[in-house]
Amino acid sequence: MAWTLPKHLRDVLERGLDRQVRLAVTGLSRAGKTAFLTSLINQLRHAGLDAQLELVSAVREHRLLGAQRVDQPDLSIPRFPYDEAMASLQASPAAWPTPTRGMSELRLAIKYRTRRASRHLTGEEATLTLDLIDYPGEWLLDLPMLQQDFHDWSGTMASLMTPERRAFMSTWLEKASAHTPDSVVEEQTLAELAAHYTDGLHQARRDGGFYFIQPGRFLLPGELRDAPVLQFYPLVQLEGWSREALDALPADSLYQTLKARFEHYKRHVITPFYKSYFQRFDRQVVLVDVLTALNSGPAVFNELRYTMNALMQSFNYGRNGLFSRLFTPRIDRLAIAATKADHVTPDQHDALQTLLSTLMSQPLQDMRYANIPARAFALASIRATTVKKLENVTPNALALSGRTLEDQEVLLFPGDVPSTLPDETFWARQGFSFTPFHPARHTSGALPHIRMDALLDWLLGDKWL
Ligand SMILES: Nc1nc2c(ncn2[C@@H]2O[C@H](COP(=O)(O)OP(=O)(O)OP(=O)(O)O)[C@@H](O)[C@H]2O)c(=O)[nH]1
Ligand SMILES: [Mg+2]
């Protein structure tokens, strides 16, 4: 005889099921985090209405009923600025959401119908609580500092000082060279020197395309702006000083003061981020702006590769001894995505995805080794271009139409994306110039996107079964 589980037992079972997910989104600054989360929230709120989510199986099966914003659990974290971002896109003229500067969070309650397990256990209404967290990828670049003392870290920073980087750090290098490790430097001078160091990092990032910046909070301080814990810098001119001599210096010497602040930063900034937030994330999206890096040439592209591999160390806890000693993270699925795929024609999307997989092949391999599913995507969170077929030019020729940031209507051939890492001869032969676009004014319905649905299905499909 067939039997049905009594209602009260079913309730207990459901409560025990996994119906809550903390999904974190990160990437270096300008990678497209705010646009991605804005679109993701928008798509889920329009699921079952007018959102284009054909690749989400729960949508195809008419099981996603809708999503609503609810109060976030952690009131000390700023709210993700969804309304502000939508207001920018709806304004006349429309604008991209403004840059964000720290961590933010938003909670969605997603109503869905469970899949019918059998004739008797019919699909019931259930709620998935989805916490979305946006945080700067630059913060993850600090992880290796936990393994270093001030002396080692200064050495690493000195080795990064290539002539190209030095050019952006020259004011700081010149002013800092006036103070030897044993000198006593006044608080105000120290603050000024740290400000010059921070300015240099900003310039190297903005004008030089250097992505690898330490300490990460110096670029994106969040709530720590102007706090003394951020007022230190590496001593890159230690020639003639042995480690013993430096360690024997008095507590008020420059070396000991900087060393104490470095240790404070590790203990009170880096560690708490990993302990209080990072290790509570369940799933992770890492966004990469591959196309802008290609535009900037081989040096910047290689720097992106190096930096993204360093950033991914935070997810490599399967093999990272330090990490597993300090934290017990629980991310069980990770997606990396090349953003702004609407900068190229659809026939290039596969190449963009393959290029991203190649760029991140080592960390992807490490994740799989640790038994954590990891996949690469190419997507556009908010599509700003439309594709035109120009049959009269070349058969099957595709072009993009849109408005440039300078407000010019254009129709252009953006060119090809290499599907393998470009080598020297490739760079010598060809450069890239993918044009950034102005967003189209959003009036109603769901935001246009490219393959957000593929990513959503892969990342959360098992959670709304
Ligand atoms: N065409 C197009 N441009 C995009 C898309 N997503 C982001 N962009 C562009 O990239 C810029 C940065 O996007 P954001 O979402 O603000 O990036 P972010 O990572 O949040 O940046 P920060 O908050 O500064 O760290 C935007 O202002 C747009 O110019 C997209 O899907 N399509
Ligand atoms: Mg942002």
Side-chain angles (χ1 to χ4, degrees), residues 26-38 80 95-102 134 136-138 220 287 289 292 339-343 379-385 405 435-439 448-450:
T26 198
L28 299 172
S29 72
R30 313 313 289 146
K33 302 179 290 293
T34 303
F36 176 86
L37 274 172
T38 302
F80 175 77
W96 289 107
T98 46
T100 45
R101 286 284 163 261
D134 171 350
E138 279 77 2
L220 293 151
L287 301 176
D289 183 359
T292 303
T339 51
K340 315 180 194 180
D342 59 330
H343 286 190
L379 56 82
S381 312
I382 303 173
R383 183 165 52 76
T385 60
L405 292 179
T435 311
F437 292 92
H438 206 273
H449 68 86
I450 298 171

Side-chain angles (χ1 to χ4, degrees), residues 129-242:
T129 305
L130 179 64
D131 285 324
L132 298 165
I133 301 112
D134 171 350
Y135 70 96
E138 279 77 2
W139 293 1
L140 299 181
L141 297 177
D142 282 353
L143 183 74
M145 291 169 74
L146 290 179
Q147 265 165 314
Q148 294 180 312
D149 63 16
F150 179 65
H151 189 271
D152 294 340
W153 180 64
S154 292
T156 309
M157 293 301 103
S159 67
L160 281 183
M161 286 292 160
T162 55
E164 293 80 22
R165 230 181 232 252
R166 271 179 183 274
F168 297 102
M169 313 289 290
S170 57
T171 309
W172 165 68
L173 282 166
E174 190 200 313
K175 294 202 186 274
S177 67
H179 306 277
T180 51
D182 55 339
S183 54
V184 176
V185 177
E186 286 198 5
E187 182 66 34
Q188 183 55 29
T189 312
L190 208 59
E192 282 164 20
L193 286 167
H196 286 303
Y197 179 64
T198 311
D199 283 350
L201 293 179
H202 273 289
Q203 266 194 43
R205 173 72 175 93
R206 194 181 52 234
D207 305 329
F210 288 98
Y211 296 105
F212 191 81
I213 299 288
Q214 270 183 355
R217 296 289 167 127
F218 281 37
L219 271 197
L220 293 151
E223 73 289 0
L224 293 174
R225 186 176 298 279
D226 298 327
V229 61
L230 299 193
Q231 287 164 358
F232 66 95
Y233 55 85
L235 284 178
V236 292
Q237 286 150 329
L238 288 176
E239 294 83 9
W241 286 89
S242 69

Side-chain angles (χ1 to χ4, degrees), residues 234-271:
L235 284 178
V236 292
Q237 286 150 329
L238 288 176
E239 294 83 9
W241 286 89
S242 69
R243 188 189 275 262
E244 292 70 34
L246 290 164
D247 283 341
L249 287 172
D252 61 354
S253 63
L254 176 66
Y255 180 83
Q256 294 291 353
T257 309
L258 294 175
K259 181 176 163 182
R261 291 194 181 182
F262 174 82
E263 290 302 329
H264 189 92
Y265 179 84
K266 278 165 56 178
R267 209 166 36 252
H268 296 283
V269 179
I270 308 180
T271 307

